[in-house]
């Protein structure tokens, strides 16, 4: 039987190879039988088998155990049946040393009857408990995990061992002071509070190669409350987990000298010359905390300057450099300079790099650029050797990736070329450039790429404006700076160009969006430009700027902005909400939910209304319509809007044109004020689920307007909601729905579906959707004209709105399925396409010369108001657009797959008020003949409107407000 296991090869790491095969099978979701065949394959020595078993049980098999428990009895039976025989052959010490939760789970599989595990809930209990940070309990001088089955299993089964006591570390700063290296950060053991310096020690230890004695740094504990704020465990205090460690260079110098003497002697015995090489120490931290001892790597640099620590020149062409590995672990390297760059010359198709090798003279040798060997000219000179490395420019320009430069004198190991005191080089050749730069370890790297903008100046103004300036010697033309979020959201800023110089100015707290401004969303924003040729080119930071770059956090309007250079020279802008210390982390969340919220809930309610639209991310929809109607009526009771991530500022009565007296209160989502508002306000109006910690009071009225009639299956009708045991989402929904006092429905057709999907038994108001009143408003033409102006839509242009829904199975896909280029060619410039992506789908890649991306436009109903034609697929937007009477097209290229994966309540072929089209060409042809298409579906359209949107008549908001708050 084929197992996919590569036969053991001499000289390779067979355990690592085997683990990779098993992990790949797990990641691909291959059958468990295939995984077990790979696990049980022969070819490992007993020692290798023990190491492999420990890794596979803690890793891929543990993951499959969690999955089997969640997927029901059949999956549990398969797992127990296949894994139980394997566990019988695993070394007892391997099982004993597993992480405690895995240890207990596999012990149950190994020792209990299969039927008991399949039909019972033992595995579910342990897996569920392991998913949460477990409480640690000390008995005598040992620590144990507080997990289920303590009265059934031996006490030793719960003891915390090395696999459980792994230090959690973060390095905040690495710098040189008075010739000593100072490392500042925090380190603690999860679940073991560190409230004082008492019984709390930590020592940073540097471990070098083989026999070299370790270096123990002078380490002291310091107060660092930020460790508690960022911890994952509620109820734990890590305030005294901070540490400061200092390293004296002499500790490394004498050890390196001793190693050099030994290695040099060995080379001389082999009749080879002695060569200075780099000695590297890995940094570990040893923690003694309340009777527990643990050792772990020192890892986790904070973003920015800590990622690029400076080195120290200790003389004789030697440097001590703190460096980070690929897995973000700290190492300290004592690095001799065996080769140093002295100059770079571009002469036609030849790029010459001049290198000096101090010390011994060499007449022959080679150079190497990454994996490519290059002929080089070696010339002995006084004090060393001059080397000229010629590089062919045409060949360099064809390379996609750069590489480090090495010099290989004959008979000696290759030496990395260091930048030293040489100037970095940047040679522009057409649309591309060749750069010779130093990396974070000062090693020379040569690369060719499209010409990149390089920031050499960055300054914050008092009003929050950020100015970036630098060089960009690309072809002239209009260029924009793009700020891109990981979700795909993009903001653009024009670059002001003056020859090769550029300047960009923008205020991160007020980025233009259509007719208004919004702050940048929380997260990391990368920087790039679209060059005159239409290519996206990343921005880099000038290496000369890095030491002086202002990376301090700027707070403005309750938000934190920070410009940092990460991964050495990659500038990014990080954004976060400014959160008080007592609200940060799991501890702050625990205090708010378990202490503050219950206390507020016990107080009297206030005559206030809380408005929550899309979790506080948008000011739109039914919730907005209810608020504005009440303000229009002059209802001056307190109005509280929940706003997440500074997404919007709700207008008051003056901005709405209703008078100057009513101003809403804004509370930050997740803040203390948010908890208080939901605990004490009499009315709550939402269009989605409220936070899971919320529980409605008897004297509160919760109005659930939902965010659309149900076309796609939802709630209890989704396949995973019917599993046994019920998933957490089922329990959350049940608890939430019990608190609803009124559910708003768009139609009699939608009401029974919503009731069943949510398990709701309370009152339903079939008022129609308030958000659609504007589609029938007497002012709709005036509003439509304003929206067209905001979007820049030419008067008389036919507006086509393309608004597809999300795909559960393809959420990261950002492509636009409609062929916009072909649509422009066939339909001409008289049509304006608007593309509205779904918030649960990756932001669409919309060509700016072919369509307008209106994904972030604040109110979708405004877009329906100006659309002459709607193109959609399985989105509930079809029910809302029906109020306009304008034609709809249904681009259902994946109807069969979507229906099978998600499920629909509607028979599209029988019900939708327009043609179902499967190709972009069919959509374009339907747009070209839209009048004929509309006429052919007129009767069906009217039936659809009567059935699915019978009360969207412009009076839905009034009916809802009268029903809940009383008429005026």
């Amino acid at each position: 039987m084929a197992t996919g296991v590569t036969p053991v090869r001499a000289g390779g790491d067979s355990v690592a190879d085997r683990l990779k095969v098993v992990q790949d099978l797990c990641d691909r979701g291959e059958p468990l039988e295939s995984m077990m065949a790979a696990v049980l394959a022969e070819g490992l020595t007993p020692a290798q088998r023990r190491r492999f078993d420990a890794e596979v049980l803690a890793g891929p098999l543990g993951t499959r155990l969690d999955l089997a428990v969640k997927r029901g009895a059949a999956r549990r039976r398969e797992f127990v049946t296949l894994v139980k025989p394997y566990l019988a052959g695993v070394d007892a010490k391997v099982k004993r040393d597993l992480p405690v939760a895995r240890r207990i789970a596999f012990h149950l599989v190994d020792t209990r009857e299969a039927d008991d595990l399949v039909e019972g809930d033992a595995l579910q209990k342990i897996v569920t408990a392991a998913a949460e940070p477990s409480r640690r309990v000390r008995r005598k001088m040992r620590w144990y995990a507080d997990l289920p089955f303590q009265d059934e299993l031996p006490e030793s089964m719960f003891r915390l061992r090395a696999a459980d006591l792994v230090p959690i570390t973060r390095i905040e700063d690495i710098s040189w002071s008075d010739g000593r290296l100072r490392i500042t950060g925090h380190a603690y053991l999860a679940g073991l509070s560190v409230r004082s310096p008492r019984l709390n020690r930590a020592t940073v230890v540097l471990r070098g190669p083989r026999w070299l004695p370790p270096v123990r740094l002078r380490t002291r504990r310091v107060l660092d409350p930020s460790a508690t704020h960022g911890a994952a465990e509620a109820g734990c205090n890590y305030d005294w987990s901070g540490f400061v460690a200092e390293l004296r260079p002499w500790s490394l110098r004498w050890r390196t000298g001793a190693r050099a003497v030994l290695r040099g002697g060995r080379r001389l015995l082999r009749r080879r010359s002695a060569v200075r090489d780099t000695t590297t120490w890995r940094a570990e931290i040893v923690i003694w905390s309340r009777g527990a001892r643990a050792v772990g790597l020192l890892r986790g640099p904070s973003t920015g300057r800590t990622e690029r620590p400076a080195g120290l020149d200790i003389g004789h062409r030697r440097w001590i450099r703190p460096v980070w590995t690929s897995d973000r672990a700290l190492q300290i390297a004592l690095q001799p300079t065996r080769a140093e760059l002295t100059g770079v010359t571009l002469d036609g198709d030849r790029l010459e790099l001049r290198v000096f090798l101090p010390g011994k003279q060499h007449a022959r040798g080679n150079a190497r650029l990454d994996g490519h060997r290059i002929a080089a000219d070696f010339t002995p000179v006084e004090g060393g050797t001059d080397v000229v490395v010629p590089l062919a420019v045409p060949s360099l320009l064809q390379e996609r990736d750069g590489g480090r430069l090495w010099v290989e004198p004959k008979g000696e190991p290759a030496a990395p070329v260091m930048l030293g005191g040489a100037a970095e080089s940047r040679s522009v050749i057409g649309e591309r450039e060749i750069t010779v730069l130093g990396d974070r370890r000062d090693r020379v790297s040569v690369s060719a790429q499209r010409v990149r903008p390089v920031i050499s100046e960055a300054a914050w103004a008092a009003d929050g404006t950020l100015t970036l300036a630098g060089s960009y010697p690309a072809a002239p033309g209009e260029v924009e700076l793009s700020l891109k979020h990981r979700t795909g959201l993009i903001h653009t800023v024009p670059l002001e160009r003056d020859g090769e110089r550029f300047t960009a100015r923008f205020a991160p707290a007020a980025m233009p969006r259509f007719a208004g401004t919004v702050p940048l969303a929380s997260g990391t924003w990368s920087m790039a430009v679209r060059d005159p040729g239409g290519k996206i080119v990343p921005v880099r930071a000038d290496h000369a700027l890095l030491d002086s770059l202002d990376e301090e956090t700027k707070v403005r309007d309750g938000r934190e902005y920070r410009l940092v250079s990460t991964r050495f020279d990659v500038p990014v802008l990080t954004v976060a909400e400014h959160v008080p210390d007592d609200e940060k982390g799991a501890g702050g969340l625990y205090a708010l939910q378990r202490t503050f919220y219950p206390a507020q809930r016990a107080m009297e309610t206030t005559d206030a209304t809380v408005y929550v639209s899309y979790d506080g991310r948008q000011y739109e929809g039914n919730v907005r319509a209810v608020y504005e109607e009440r303000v229009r009526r002059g209802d001056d009771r307190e109005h509280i809007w929940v706003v997440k991530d500074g997404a919007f500022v709700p207008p008051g009565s003056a901005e709405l044109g209703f008078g100057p007296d009513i101003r809403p209160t804004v509370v930050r989502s997740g803040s203390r004020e948010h908890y208080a508002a939901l605990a004490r306000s009499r009315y709550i109006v939402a269009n989605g689920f409220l936070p899971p910690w919320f529980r409605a009071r008897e004297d509160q009225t919760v109005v659930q307007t939902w965010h659309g009639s149900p076309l796609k299956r939802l709630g209890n009708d989704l396949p995973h909601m019917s599993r046994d045991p019920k998933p957490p989402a089922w329990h959350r929904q049940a608890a939430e729905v019990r608190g609803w006092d009124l559910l708003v429905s768009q139609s009699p057709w939608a009401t029974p579906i919503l009731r069943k999907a949510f398990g709701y038994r309370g009152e339903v108001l079939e008022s129609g959707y308030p958000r659609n009143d504007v589609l029938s408003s007497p002012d709709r033409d005036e509003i439509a004209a304003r929206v067209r102006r905001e979007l820049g839509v030419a008067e008389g242009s036919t507006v086509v709105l393309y608004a597809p829904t999300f795909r559960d199975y393809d959420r990261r896909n950002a492509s636009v399925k409609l062929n916009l280029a072909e649509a422009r060619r066939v339909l001409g410039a008289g049509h304006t396409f608007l593309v509205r992506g779904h918030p649960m789908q990756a932001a669409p890649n919309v060509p700016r010369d072919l369509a307008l991306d209106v994904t972030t436009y604040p109110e979708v109903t405004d877009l329906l108001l100006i659309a002459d034609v709607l193109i959609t697929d399985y989105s509930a937007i079809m029910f809302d657009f029906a109020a306009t009477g304008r034609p709809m097209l249904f681009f259902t290229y994946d109807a069969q797959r979507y229906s099978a994966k998600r499920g629909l309540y509607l028979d599209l072929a029988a019900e939708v008020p327009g043609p179902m089209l499967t190709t972009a060409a069919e959509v374009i042809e339907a747009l070209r003949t839209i009048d004929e298409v509309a006429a052919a579906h007129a009767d069906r359209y009217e039936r659809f409107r009567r059935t699915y949107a019978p009360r969207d008549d412009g009076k839905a908001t009034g009916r809802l407000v009268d029903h809940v708050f009383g008429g005026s």
Side-chain angles (χ1 to χ4, degrees):
M1 176 180 175
T3 65
V5 177
T6 304
V8 177
R9 300 185 302 274
D13 189 345
S14 54
V15 173
D17 293 342
R18 181 76 61 86
L19 279 170
K20 186 176 185 304
V21 170
V22 177
Q23 188 65 57
D24 287 345
L25 292 171
C26 179
D27 293 342
R28 294 200 306 266
E30 297 292 337
L32 182 61
E33 186 178 4
S34 299
M35 278 185 61
M36 293 310 300
V39 168
L40 294 168
E42 300 294 332
L44 298 176
T45 66
Q48 289 174 331
R49 168 57 68 179
R50 287 192 294 272
R51 177 183 159 206
F52 173 77
D53 288 342
E55 295 286 347
V56 82
L57 287 169
L61 278 185
T63 301
R64 277 300 175 92
L65 170 62
D66 296 343
L67 190 64
V69 170
K70 294 176 183 177
R71 292 294 175 86
R75 288 291 185 92
R76 289 198 295 272
R77 183 173 297 279
E78 177 194 33
F79 185 88
V80 172
T81 302
L82 292 174
V83 175
K84 195 178 184 72
Y86 160 68
L87 287 173
V90 174
D91 186 273
K93 186 176 185 302
V94 169
K95 291 186 280 191
R96 186 197 67 186
D97 291 339
L98 287 172
V100 62
R102 292 280 185 249
R103 185 191 317 153
I104 296 170
F106 283 116
H107 176 79
L108 295 176
V109 174
D110 191 18
T111 60
R112 294 199 174 182
E113 293 296 328
D115 289 342
D116 293 341
L117 294 174
V118 172
E119 303 301 332
D121 62 353
L123 289 177
Q124 184 186 0
K125 282 182 178 179
I126 194 66
V127 168
T128 302
E132 302 292 334
S134 60
R135 193 165 65 91
R136 310 297 174 90
V137 179
R138 187 168 67 177
R139 299 179 186 135
K140 297 181 180 179
M141 292 301 293
R142 292 177 176 175
W143 285 90
Y144 297 85
D146 186 13
L147 291 171
F149 307 111
Q150 300 212 26
D151 56 344
E152 302 176 35
L153 300 177
E155 184 181 59
S156 61
M157 193 65 60
F158 299 86
R159 183 181 171 186
L160 300 182
R161 301 185 183 275
D164 304 293
L165 297 173
V166 178
I168 307 297
T169 63
R170 182 175 177 83
I171 312 304
E172 298 294 346
D173 182 59
I174 302 179
S175 58
W176 293 94
S177 176
D178 298 328
R180 297 183 179 186
L181 181 65
R182 177 172 293 175
I183 304 171
T184 305
H186 64 251
Y188 58 86
L189 300 177
L192 273 63
S193 290
V194 190
R195 293 185 173 89
S196 74
R198 185 171 174 269
L199 300 177
N200 168 31
R201 292 171 51 202
T203 302
V204 174
V205 180
L206 304 182
R207 300 195 183 276
R210 296 186 183 177
W211 54 269
L212 279 183
V215 183
R216 289 177 173 82
L217 277 61
R218 182 178 179 182
T219 310
R220 57 188 173 88
R221 283 296 202 182
V222 296
L223 183 66
D224 184 7
S226 67
T228 302
H229 303 152
E233 300 82 27
C236 289
N237 185 313
Y238 303 119
D239 287 359
W240 276 92
S241 66
F243 70 87
V244 176
E246 289 189 348
L247 168 68
R248 295 185 302 167
W250 173 249
S251 301
L252 303 185
R253 291 173 64 179
W254 77 259
R255 288 170 170 82
T256 301
R259 179 171 181 262
V261 169
L262 180 61
R263 290 173 62 86
R266 288 175 176 173
R267 288 185 64 87
L268 290 174
L269 290 174
R270 298 172 186 170
R271 298 184 179 181
R272 296 179 182 177
S273 60
V275 177
R276 297 191 301 170
D277 64 352
T278 299
T279 305
T280 302
W281 284 266
R282 72 178 185 273
E284 296 179 348
I285 190 160
V286 183
I287 295 177
W288 293 267
S289 180
R290 301 170 63 194
R293 181 184 183 276
V295 181
L297 292 177
L298 206 53
R299 64 171 79 241
S302 60
T303 304
R305 186 163 282 108
T306 309
E307 295 180 287
R308 49 179 197 278
L312 177 69
D313 185 353
I314 59 174
H316 304 288
R317 298 181 182 271
R318 293 185 301 168
W319 288 74
I320 295 178
R321 301 185 190 278
V323 296
W324 297 101
T325 65
S326 58
D327 60 349
R328 299 170 67 81
L330 179 64
Q331 293 182 342
I332 308 295
L334 198 155
Q335 184 177 26
T337 300
R338 293 178 50 215
E340 189 172 35
L341 186 72
T342 58
V344 180
T345 304
L346 178 64
D347 183 11
D349 285 346
R350 176 186 170 100
L351 183 73
E352 275 191 0
L353 305 179
R354 295 185 299 280
V355 179
F356 178 67
L357 276 62
K360 185 178 177 181
Q361 296 180 334
H362 302 275
R364 298 174 62 186
N366 296 288
R368 199 171 76 224
L369 188 60
D370 234 18
H372 304 286
R373 181 163 289 180
I374 304 164
D377 298 327
F378 284 68
T379 305
V381 297
E382 183 179 352
T385 306
D386 280 339
V387 181
V388 176
V389 182
L391 301 176
V393 170
S395 299
L396 274 176
L397 293 176
Q398 292 176 7
E399 294 290 333
R400 298 190 62 181
D401 299 312
R404 291 206 305 270
L405 182 65
W406 301 72
V407 173
E408 297 178 308
K410 184 175 177 61
E412 291 191 3
V417 179
M418 313 302 289
L419 184 65
E424 295 181 320
S425 167
R426 186 182 188 194
S427 305
V428 177
I429 303 169
E431 294 182 344
R432 295 176 67 78
E433 65 179 358
I434 298 175
T435 57
V436 181
L437 305 173
D439 65 8
R440 70 185 73 194
R441 298 175 74 165
D442 203 45
R443 299 169 300 191
V444 171
S445 177
V446 182
S447 60
Q449 62 272 322
R450 295 189 72 87
V451 178
R452 290 176 173 175
V454 176
I455 298 172
S456 57
E457 300 174 35
W460 291 90
D463 63 356
T465 299
L466 176 61
T467 301
L468 305 176
S471 64
Y472 185 37
E478 291 188 4
V479 178
E480 288 182 328
L481 174 68
S482 295
L483 302 173
K484 186 174 183 179
H485 196 264
R486 62 177 179 81
T487 60
L489 182 62
I490 294 176
H491 285 277
T492 59
V493 178
L495 286 189
E496 302 170 13
R497 302 185 67 185
D498 182 9
E500 293 187 357
R501 299 290 298 173
F502 75 84
T503 304
R505 295 182 179 87
F506 61 95
M511 299 297 292
R513 184 179 72 173
F514 303 107
T517 61
V518 295
L520 291 178
S522 292
T524 300
W525 293 83
S526 60
M527 300 184 187
V529 300
R530 187 183 296 273
D531 69 11
K535 301 292 185 180
I536 300 296
V537 182
V539 175
R540 291 293 180 260
D542 193 327
H543 295 177
L545 170 67
L546 297 179
D547 289 341
S548 60
L549 180 63
D550 181 4
E551 295 186 337
E552 295 300 315
T553 299
K554 313 298 178 185
V555 179
R556 188 167 186 84
D557 299 330
R559 300 177 65 71
E560 299 177 350
Y561 302 92
R562 185 174 176 229
L563 176 68
V564 298
S565 184
T566 186
R567 302 200 305 276
F568 188 51
D569 60 358
V570 179
V572 297
L573 191 62
T574 64
V575 184
E577 292 187 286
H578 184 63
V579 179
D581 287 347
D582 61 355
E583 296 178 11
K584 290 180 179 176
L589 190 65
Y590 184 90
L592 287 171
Q593 294 181 4
R594 299 298 180 90
T595 305
F596 181 76
Y597 178 66
Q600 290 289 311
R601 199 169 177 270
M603 300 173 69
E604 291 185 4
T605 58
T606 61
D607 196 9
T609 303
V610 179
Y611 301 90
V612 189
S613 178
Y614 297 101
D615 296 327
R617 289 179 281 113
Q618 298 177 41
Y619 175 74
E620 71 164 322
N622 295 326
V623 179
R624 170 184 174 176
V626 171
Y627 164 71
E628 292 186 357
E629 173 64 13
R630 293 183 66 196
V631 172
R632 185 191 68 79
R633 295 184 180 191
D635 189 335
D636 59 359
R637 287 174 284 184
E638 187 177 12
H639 302 273
I640 303 172
W641 274 91
V642 177
V643 178
K644 187 172 187 175
D645 201 25
F648 61 89
V649 178
S653 56
E655 293 91 333
L656 294 171
F658 302 144
D661 298 322
I662 301 174
R663 296 293 306 173
T665 301
V666 176
V667 298
R668 175 177 54 82
S669 178
S671 67
R672 186 174 298 271
E673 293 75 18
H674 182 201
Y675 282 83
L678 284 182
R680 300 186 60 195
S681 296
R682 183 165 299 164
Y683 299 99
I684 297 165
V685 182
N687 68 350
F689 287 142
L690 291 162
W693 46 263
F694 171 74
R695 292 294 179 267
R697 298 166 51 160
E698 289 296 327
D699 52 353
Q700 284 182 318
T701 300
V702 179
V703 180
Q704 179 56 257
T705 68
W706 204 239
H707 49 263
S709 284
L711 175 60
K712 302 178 282 290
R713 293 194 180 276
L714 75 161
N716 295 334
D717 294 332
L718 291 172
H720 71 277
M721 297 289 272
S722 59
R723 289 180 190 153
D724 186 24
K726 297 296 186 185
W730 186 93
H731 294 284
R732 182 196 168 181
Q733 176 179 290
E736 161 98 11
V737 171
R738 281 196 296 269
W740 294 353
D741 296 286
L742 181 68
L743 176 62
V744 178
S745 173
Q746 191 174 15
S747 67
W749 172 83
T751 299
I753 295 175
L754 291 171
R755 281 191 180 279
K756 178 176 178 293
F758 293 133
Y760 177 67
R761 300 179 180 276
E763 181 183 4
V764 175
L765 181 67
E766 293 175 356
S767 60
Y769 272 162
R771 68 188 182 198
N772 295 331
D773 283 357
V774 68
L775 302 177
S776 304
S777 167
D779 302 326
R780 60 182 179 273
D781 292 337
E782 180 182 340
I783 299 171
R786 172 183 58 79
V787 175
R788 281 175 171 259
R789 287 194 303 271
E790 290 178 358
L791 296 176
V793 176
E795 190 173 348
S797 178
T798 299
V799 177
V800 180
L801 174 62
Y802 179 41
T805 192
F806 68 98
R807 269 68 176 163
D808 289 298
Y809 47 84
D810 198 19
R811 292 195 184 193
R812 295 184 179 180
N813 193 333
S815 62
V816 177
K817 298 299 183 181
L818 188 62
N819 190 334
L820 296 170
E822 181 65 10
R824 172 62 59 88
R825 187 189 69 79
V826 173
L827 302 174
H831 285 67
T832 299
F833 282 83
L834 312 180
V835 178
R836 174 82 172 190
H838 195 281
M840 296 178 70
Q841 187 77 20
N845 292 325
V846 181
R848 297 171 61 183
D849 56 335
L850 298 176
L852 294 176
D853 183 358
V854 292
T855 301
T856 60
Y857 190 82
E859 178 56 80
V860 67
T861 311
D862 288 351
L863 303 177
L864 301 184
L865 195 61
I866 68 169
D868 296 297
V869 183
L870 172 68
I871 304 173
T872 187
D873 43 25
Y874 324 105
S875 172
I877 199 172
M878 66 175 72
F879 301 123
D880 302 326
F881 194 69
T884 67
R886 299 175 194 145
M888 288 185 256
L889 304 177
F890 296 87
F891 188 18
T892 53
Y893 55 88
D894 58 348
Q896 186 173 357
R897 183 182 184 190
Y898 192 92
S899 181
K901 290 283 188 180
R902 178 65 187 245
L904 300 170
Y905 292 114
L906 200 66
D907 182 349
L908 297 181
E911 297 291 332
V912 294
M916 291 179 63
L917 310 168
T918 57
T919 67
E922 292 176 349
V923 175
I924 295 170
E925 177 59 23
L927 287 171
R928 192 181 66 81
T929 59
I930 194 63
D931 292 338
E932 291 87 340
V933 170
H937 292 83
D939 293 341
R940 190 164 169 172
Y941 197 119
E942 186 56 33
R943 288 197 305 272
F944 183 88
R945 186 173 179 176
R946 288 198 306 268
T947 303
Y948 303 106
R951 307 211 73 184
D952 284 355
D953 55 5
K955 301 176 183 178
T957 308
R959 286 191 284 266
L960 177 56
V961 171
D962 287 344
H963 185 85
V964 177
F965 303 100
S968 61

